[in-house]
């Protein structure tokens, strides 16, 4: 059912986007499609998307200077996945959020519906609240990021919080944008994880 709904959304939205852009309409919002790749390395084995191998992401965003809405999807490039769970990193999210800068602080808030890998069911999905505060130190962008996982159904993972302390660095390699992200993660027991510090992670990502 979820797949059908998302396919219908793309069928409705994409032709309208193409028509508007081809006819040079002065739209009050920006429409953006991005395809990207994410690779990450954790200090704790067994908890990573695609088993330290890249995932491919696609994102459609409709936004103005303050608000954004869109769809985000990912698919692991490792056929075996984590512990032989082939669809571990397959996910489709629907999100809405806002971004506001109070110089030198940037505030980003987002609410999402996480459609997890068993697309024929919705009782294992999650709703998610994200809050991120970031600042710019010229050479690095340190941040504090908190995420609340809420249950949708009886098979959803354990509800609760994750929070990250980290720093980002944006680079340009032969016109290819690369984001480097170092972070330390903590939890109150969400997703059935042990409470406290759970991992450190180095993540690289790019959009094409």
């Amino acid at each position: 059912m979820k797949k059908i709904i998302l396919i219908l959304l793309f069928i409705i939205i994409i032709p309208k986007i193409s028509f508007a852009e081809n006819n040079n309409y002065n739209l009050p919002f920006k429409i953006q499609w991005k395809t990207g790749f994410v690779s990450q390395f954790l200090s704790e084995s067994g908890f990573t998307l695609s088993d330290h191998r890249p995932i491919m992401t696609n994102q459609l965003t409709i936004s103005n200077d303050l608000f954004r809405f869109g769809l985000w999807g990912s698919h692991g490039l490792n056929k075996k996945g984590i512990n032989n769970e082939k669809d571990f990193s397959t996910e489709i999210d629907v999100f809405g959020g806002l971004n506001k800068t109070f110089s030198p602080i940037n505030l980003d808030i987002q609410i999402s519906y996480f459609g997890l890998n068993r697309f024929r069911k919705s009782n294992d999905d999650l709703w998610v609240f994200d809050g991120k505060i970031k600042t710019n130190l010229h050479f690095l962008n340190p941040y504090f990021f908190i995420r609340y996982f809420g249950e949708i159904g009886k098979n959803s993972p354990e509800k609760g919080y994750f929070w990250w302390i980290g720093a980002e660095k944006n680079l340009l390699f032969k016109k290819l944008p690369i984001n480097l992200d170092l972070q330390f993660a903590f939890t109150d027991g969400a997703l059935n994880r042990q409470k406290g510090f759970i991992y450190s992670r180095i993540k690289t990502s790019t959009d094409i």
Side-chain angles (χ1 to χ4, degrees):
M1 184 63 184
K2 287 186 286 183
K3 281 186 176 180
I4 294 173
I5 293 172
L6 290 169
I7 290 170
L8 288 174
L9 284 172
F10 275 98
I11 291 173
I12 293 169
I13 293 172
I14 295 298
K16 289 186 177 181
I17 293 172
S18 301
F19 180 80
E21 290 181 342
N22 291 336
N23 287 275
N24 297 317
Y25 285 126
N26 186 19
L27 299 174
F29 49 82
K30 181 173 66 175
I31 302 165
Q32 186 177 38
W33 174 270
K34 294 195 299 184
T35 295
F37 296 90
V38 179
S39 183
Q40 55 189 6
F41 303 89
L42 282 82
S43 63
E44 181 184 13
S45 62
F47 184 72
T48 175
L49 294 175
S50 68
D51 196 16
H52 300 304
R53 299 186 186 184
I55 63 172
M56 182 178 180
T57 65
N58 289 284
Q59 179 171 320
L60 171 67
T61 306
I62 301 173
S63 64
N64 59 18
D65 292 337
L66 182 61
F67 298 102
R68 66 179 179 276
F69 303 92
L71 298 172
W72 184 91
S74 68
H75 182 71
L77 302 182
N78 180 7
K79 293 181 179 180
K80 292 184 179 180
I82 300 297
N83 297 325
N84 294 319
E85 294 184 20
K86 295 182 179 179
D87 295 326
F88 183 85
S89 56
T90 300
E91 181 180 322
I92 298 177
D93 304 338
V94 181
F95 63 85
L98 63 88
N99 186 288
K100 182 69 174 178
T101 297
F102 305 91
S103 185
I105 302 297
N106 176 263
L107 174 65
D108 191 277
I109 295 173
Q110 180 169 294
I111 296 178
S112 309
Y113 180 97
F114 278 23
L116 302 180
N117 51 15
R118 296 177 179 88
F119 292 122
R120 287 174 291 182
K121 299 179 179 180
S122 61
N123 62 8
D124 63 346
D125 294 341
L126 296 161
W127 71 268
V128 174
F129 170 82
D130 290 333
K132 186 175 184 179
I133 298 175
K134 181 170 65 173
T135 189
N136 188 347
L137 297 181
H138 301 292
F139 59 94
L140 276 179
N141 298 322
Y143 64 83
F144 174 76
F145 179 30
I146 188 166
R147 168 171 287 179
Y148 177 77
F149 296 93
E151 298 171 335
I152 296 294
K154 62 181 181 180
N155 294 322
S156 295
E158 181 69 25
K159 64 182 178 180
Y161 291 92
F162 270 43
W163 58 95
W164 293 264
I165 299 172
E168 297 176 337
K169 177 68 174 179
N170 294 314
L171 304 172
L172 196 62
F173 179 73
K174 295 183 178 180
K175 298 183 178 181
L176 182 68
I178 297 175
N179 175 267
L180 301 178
D181 189 354
L182 170 64
Q183 55 186 220
F184 300 89
F186 305 82
T187 183
D188 67 346
L191 307 185
N192 304 314
R193 301 287 291 174
Q194 185 176 350
K195 293 182 180 180
F197 172 77
I198 50 174
Y199 65 80
S200 59
R201 171 167 65 180
I202 298 175
K203 182 170 67 172
T204 61
S205 60
T206 186
D207 295 316
I208 57 174

